[in-house]
Amino acid sequence: KRYEKQSEAEQPQNDQQKEQLAVLNRLKELAQRQQDINERVKELQNAIEEAKRQLKRLREEEQQLLADADELKQKMEKAENQSRFAEERKQLEQTRNDAQQAAESMQKGESSRALAEGKRAEQGFQKMRDDLRKKASGQFKDEMRQMRADARDLAQKQEKIAEDLGAKPQEKERRRLDGSSPREKLAQEFEQQQKGLGDLREQMQRVSE
């Protein structure tokens, strides 16, 4: 009977120990979960801070892009370029507006809108580049065609001069109506040939640049 009474007295104590152990285990689990959450929050906070720094740099880059677009517009508006870039200036103005809106959206923190507006600006700049490249390509082909024609003309003139130089001179050259001799006329043609060659070289250099 004494043993039974002792066992009955120890039973509540064992139950209390189990409850206490269960509480300790749950507290340990909760502490660990809270620690994990804290670490993830810290990582997220660091990522947000880094994203803010990157966004600040992107805003600065966008402002520099706008300044470069303004500089390009001023170059197109020069007197010697106005007729050549009339259509491109209109396209540049619209594309710059898209870039300006993208910059304003970034300033407001509206990243989705800034991305969409920036995409329109990107497509605008790309279209301008493609259109101008096609236009320049056409001009390049025209100038190449003209240079080939000039080169053929110079070659023909050079051949004629060579033939005249190789001809057997007469004992006494007859003067022409203008008072010049065939040799003097040949010298004039040679001088014109040299000028034409110089013009062709300048044209080739301009096209190469």
Side-chain angles (χ1 to χ4, degrees), residues 36-190:
D36 294 341
I37 292 173
N38 292 342
E39 290 177 355
R40 289 161 61 189
V41 169
K42 184 178 180 180
E43 292 175 358
L44 182 59
Q45 186 179 16
N46 293 336
I48 292 174
E49 292 299 323
E50 178 60 26
K52 288 180 179 179
R53 287 192 292 269
Q54 292 184 7
L55 185 59
K56 183 177 182 293
R57 287 195 296 268
L58 289 175
R59 286 198 297 264
E60 293 172 352
E61 290 180 13
E62 191 72 24
Q63 291 298 327
Q64 183 60 51
L65 184 146
L66 291 171
D68 292 342
D70 290 338
E71 182 181 352
L72 178 59
K73 184 172 180 291
Q74 291 176 1
K75 184 178 295 185
M76 288 181 174
E77 289 174 345
K78 289 184 177 180
E80 63 271 21
N81 294 330
Q82 284 185 359
S83 59
R84 286 194 302 162
F85 297 121
E87 184 62 29
E88 286 78 6
R89 289 202 309 273
K90 296 179 182 178
Q91 295 178 358
L92 180 60
E93 184 65 28
Q94 178 58 49
T95 304
R96 189 202 179 283
N97 289 338
D98 292 333
Q100 178 67 46
Q101 291 176 4
E104 293 174 358
S105 296
M106 279 194 287
Q107 187 66 35
K108 296 176 183 178
E110 300 173 350
S111 57
S112 297
R113 186 173 179 179
L115 182 59
E117 292 162 346
K119 191 66 178 178
R120 285 200 302 270
E122 175 190 350
Q123 293 172 349
F125 285 125
Q126 185 64 44
K127 185 177 185 302
M128 287 181 60
R129 177 178 179 272
D130 293 341
D131 292 346
L132 190 58
R133 182 166 55 182
K134 291 179 182 178
K135 181 178 178 181
S137 177
Q139 294 173 347
F140 176 77
K141 290 179 180 178
D142 291 341
E143 294 195 11
M144 289 294 293
R145 191 181 300 111
Q146 183 61 45
M147 284 193 298
R148 285 195 294 268
D150 292 342
R152 284 194 299 268
D153 183 58
L154 287 172
Q156 292 173 358
K157 290 180 179 179
Q158 188 66 36
E159 183 179 1
K160 182 179 181 302
I161 292 174
E163 291 177 355
D164 292 343
L165 285 173
K168 184 177 180 180
Q170 299 179 358
E171 293 180 359
K172 186 176 181 180
E173 294 183 338
R174 295 180 180 179
R175 292 281 174 176
R176 298 177 181 269
L177 295 178
D178 58 2
S180 62
S181 66
R183 291 288 173 176
E184 291 173 345
K185 183 65 175 178
L186 190 61
Q188 292 177 359
E189 292 178 357
F190 183 77

